[in-house]
């Protein structure tokens, strides 16, 4: 289910640098159609897309959180 996939993505990718390869692997691993990178200070998207993986990054472009929508 979606919660299980998201948990697997979180465990595998938290703390990793958000390179193009890592982003694509996270997208594929989650089964998402697309990825949105959420930079520090950036607001959450108002329009949710259930098939989108949101990767939240810190100032160093390390993945700190993953969410769907």
């Amino acid at each position: 289910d979606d919660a299980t996939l998201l948990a697997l993505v979180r465990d595998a990718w938290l703390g990793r640098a958000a390179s193009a390869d890592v982003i694509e692997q996270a997208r594929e691993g989650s089964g998402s159609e697309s990825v949105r990178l959420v930079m520090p200070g950036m607001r959450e998207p108002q329009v949710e897309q259930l098939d989108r993986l949101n990767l939240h990054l810190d100032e160093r472009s390390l993945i700190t959180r993953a969410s769907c929508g």
Side-chain angles (χ1 to χ4, degrees):
D1 68 1
D2 289 342
T4 302
L5 283 173
L6 189 54
L8 290 171
V9 169
R10 270 191 226 124
D11 291 344
W13 307 110
L14 286 186
R16 305 248 336 246
S19 68
D21 287 340
V22 166
I23 292 167
E24 181 59 15
Q25 290 169 13
R27 185 197 65 76
E28 289 176 359
S30 70
S32 298
E33 291 293 319
S34 63
V35 176
R36 176 184 166 101
L37 300 179
V38 182
M39 307 304 283
M42 187 181 232
R43 291 176 30 170
E44 289 282 334
Q46 296 298 318
V47 177
E48 286 193 23
Q49 291 178 291
L50 298 178
D51 62 347
R52 179 175 60 198
L53 174 65
N54 297 310
L55 294 177
H56 299 259
L57 309 179
D58 67 9
E59 304 80 24
R60 300 177 299 163
S61 295
L62 299 179
I63 300 169
T64 60
R65 184 165 67 102
S67 62
C68 291

